[in-house]
Amino acid sequence: MPTFTTYKTASINTSTGTTLVTCGAGQHFLHSAYVTNVEGSALPITLEIVHADTTVTHVAHKLKIFPNETVDLVHQNKIYLLTGDALKVKADRASSFTVTVSLLDEANT
């Protein structure tokens, strides 16, 4: 049965990025990916899908987010993640963003 799951992080690995979720079997609907800049200056953030075959699709690449701003990186997009796809976030500063992702697991069962 499909269920909404929330994944979040307040610390991002600055060298390799932080994997928020790796999808299990089936199709999963990426509903939202809210990022909030908690620093005092504008900073870039990257959100990418690392597919099971290791190819990468960028949802956002070095998108500049202003101080105290919250942005939904998935805004009005219909993105499905498949078996083995991973959602990864990257930033230049480890604690500069909070990231919250909402995913509908097993969307097409």
Side-chain angles (χ1 to χ4, degrees):
M1 178 171 178
T3 57
F4 270 107
T5 306
T6 302
Y7 303 91
K8 51 189 164 182
T9 186
S11 182
I12 299 170
N13 184 317
T14 57
S15 59
T16 61
T18 297
T19 300
L20 298 169
V21 60
T22 300
C23 294
Q27 293 182 341
H28 314 274
F29 178 68
L30 183 57
H31 180 263
S32 62
Y34 287 99
V35 296
T36 301
N37 181 344
V38 296
E39 291 285 322
S41 60
L43 295 169
I45 191 163
T46 297
L47 180 68
E48 60 190 25
I49 301 166
V50 181
H51 300 285
D53 65 1
T54 69
T55 59
V56 174
T57 300
H58 288 92
V59 176
H61 182 71
K62 296 204 178 261
L63 179 68
K64 189 179 285 187
I65 308 294
F66 291 99
N68 304 312
E69 181 179 30
T70 300
V71 176
D72 182 3
L73 299 179
V74 180
H75 177 212
Q76 295 183 348
N77 291 314
K78 283 125 184 103
I79 299 174
Y80 277 89
L81 303 176
L82 304 176
T83 304
D85 287 352
L87 198 59
K88 183 181 267 192
V89 63
K90 296 179 178 180
D92 295 338
R93 294 188 195 163
S95 59
S96 54
F97 292 96
T98 59
V99 180
T100 305
V101 170
S102 180
L103 186 69
L104 181 61
D105 290 317
E106 299 175 15
N108 287 335
T109 59

